[in-house]
Structures are given as C-alpha cells and as structure tokens.
Amino acid sequence: VTMQGHQKKIVLMRFHPSADNVLATGSSDHTVKLWDVQSGDCKLDVECGQLVQEVVWNHDGSILATSAKNKIMKLIDPRTGETISEVQAH
C-alpha cells in the first residue's frame, strides 16, 4: 500500500495503541495526518503551523497530542479532528 499526502518528508510515525491499521504521521510540511494503513487513505489532516516535533497517542487512543516548533501543543480528537485543547508551552 502506498500512502500519499504529505508534501515534504515524514519525521514521525506512531501507530494507534489499540486500533489495527491506524497510523499517525508528522511531517516537515507542518501537518499531522491519520492513515488507514490497510487502504492507504488519509482520514484526518491537522495543520500544526510549524515543523511537527512530536505526535503521541494517549493510552487508549482517544486523544492525539501534537507539538510543533512554535511551541503550541494540541490535543485532538482523532475521530472528529476537533482540537480539544491548545496551549502555548514555555
């Protein structure tokens, strides 16, 4: 399966902790994408503003945390794409 969608190189990859075939990727194109690995489809596209520095799932995969070079951390509901919370780090 080929997954196409990022405009620049992928810098981070994290598999969902409990769902099969779900992958989060962070890229130099300032986006985080959620993928269905089996079909290769991009299911969610999140703009982070600057270079993505971390992508982390919580223990059950119900929240995806992202951080970027602009020091903004986002908590995202991966089912809806809604930003639950956003905070400027120190």
Side-chain angles (χ1 to χ4, degrees):
V1 173
T2 300
M3 297 180 291
Q4 295 181 337
H6 284 295
Q7 301 303 308
K8 295 187 177 178
K9 71 178 179 176
I10 293 172
V11 294
L12 296 161
M13 294 174 40
R14 304 283 187 259
F15 279 98
H16 191 281
S18 60
D20 290 337
N21 301 318
V22 178
L23 177 69
T25 57
S27 170
S28 295
D29 66 5
H30 305 173
T31 64
V32 170
K33 295 184 185 295
L34 292 187
W35 301 90
D36 177 328
V37 176
Q38 190 169 11
S39 69
D41 294 335
C42 178
K43 298 299 186 180
L44 183 66
D45 189 351
V46 178
E47 176 61 47
C48 293
Q50 286 191 358
L51 179 66
V52 178
Q53 294 186 312
E54 187 60 273
V55 176
V56 179
W57 294 98
N58 72 335
H59 70 284
D60 65 0
S62 62
I63 297 174
L64 183 66
T66 68
S67 66
K69 191 171 181 177
N70 58 7
K71 297 184 181 179
I72 293 177
M73 185 184 79
K74 293 181 181 184
L75 299 179
I76 299 163
D77 181 335
R79 293 173 298 273
T80 65
E82 177 184 348
T83 298
I84 300 165
S85 183
E86 185 173 310
V87 65
Q88 176 79 36
H90 302 251

